[in-house]
Amino acid sequence: LKLGADGWSGNFLRRGHPGIRRVTMAKIKACREGGGGLFMPFTEKERDIPDGLRGFIYGVIMIYCFLGVSTISDIFMGAIEAITSSLRQVTLKSGERRTVNVWNE
């Protein structure tokens, strides 16, 4: 691949293989006029925001999402620890009582 004046251009394979076709990349204009992505930009007016500020805003949103995933994961791991640390009393055939783990006996 090489970077041209119009963005990424070139072939994935410089020397062709008989069974593989050459594929070229087109420049992606998700945040420019006429472009769009799956989630962003949210509105047409968002394209008017300078790139640096928009990048900062997207970064803050991404960090906020990672913190949310972290919080949910922490709650989930706490629940798993509570389940796997449970103990119960078992009476053996000999009449002896033992404490065993509920999980992975």
Side-chain angles (χ1 to χ4, degrees):
L1 293 178
K2 60 183 177 180
L3 183 61
D6 60 339
W8 287 101
S9 60
N11 293 319
F12 284 108
L13 301 171
R14 291 183 187 252
R15 295 185 183 124
H17 186 274
I20 301 175
R21 295 185 334 191
R22 291 180 180 225
V23 179
T24 58
M25 291 178 64
K27 184 177 178 183
I28 298 173
K29 302 177 183 178
C31 294
R32 299 286 177 232
E33 188 66 35
L38 186 61
F39 297 110
M40 296 184 277
F42 298 114
T43 66
E44 291 295 323
K45 292 181 181 180
E46 188 175 333
R47 291 189 174 106
D48 298 335
I49 301 173
D51 289 345
L53 179 59
R54 194 169 9 152
F56 177 76
I57 292 170
Y58 289 168
V60 169
I61 291 170
M62 187 172 63
I63 290 170
Y64 182 75
C65 289
F66 283 144
L67 287 174
V69 169
S70 171
T71 303
I72 293 169
S73 299
D74 190 40
I75 293 169
F76 181 70
M77 287 304 296
I80 290 175
E81 287 175 9
I83 291 170
T84 58
S85 66
S86 298
L87 302 172
R88 72 175 176 185
Q89 293 278 332
V90 176
T91 304
L92 301 176
K93 291 182 181 178
S94 63
E96 181 184 358
R97 292 182 62 102
R98 286 195 181 174
T99 304
V100 296
N101 292 329
V102 172
W103 194 261
N104 292 336
E105 293 184 311

